[in-house]
Amino acid sequence: MSPGCSDVRHLNCLDHTLRTKVYRKYPQYNSLLHASSLHPKHIINSIPKSQFLRIKRICSSQQDLTHCHHDLTNRFLERGYSPDNVKTALQWACSQPRDSLLTYRPKHARNNQDTLRLVTTFRRNTSQFIGIIDKHWNILKSNTRLDDWLGDRCQFSY
């Protein structure tokens, strides 16, 4: 493995066990998505949780994990994330047993047959647009000509 090409570093121990930890290549820029980006809020809010889970899966020692928690927390705060959101995500990730995070779980098949997909360009007012569609979905569904086309719900994609 060449340095800087992976986000996981393997360490060989004298007791013939394999240890892993997060590796960040030099120079270590803060490349996390900024909290003020135009991505949907639910995406911004889910990034700390997913990143804390990622490092919990990768770090095999508690010492490395603690160091990564501190580093990642600081990086999120530098990028404008809410301290409460970061703290909640960290606490939730810490409550998850590492063994369960390393266990393969097959994805559940979704029934997309009753879903209308609306593909649009994301803009600042997209959440208002989605709110209007959701609020008046029952009116659209009441139209017998549209009922077969609409399905039970609408899924928005960008």
Side-chain angles (χ1 to χ4, degrees), residues 125-135 156 158:
N125 63 348
T126 297
S127 61
Q128 293 171 321
F129 173 70
I130 291 171
I132 292 168
I133 296 292
D134 285 343
K135 181 178 178 181
F156 297 89
Y158 315 106

Side-chain angles (χ1 to χ4, degrees), residues 117-121 155-158:
R117 293 190 194 278
L118 180 61
V119 181
T120 183
T121 302
Q155 183 179 37
F156 297 89
S157 303
Y158 315 106

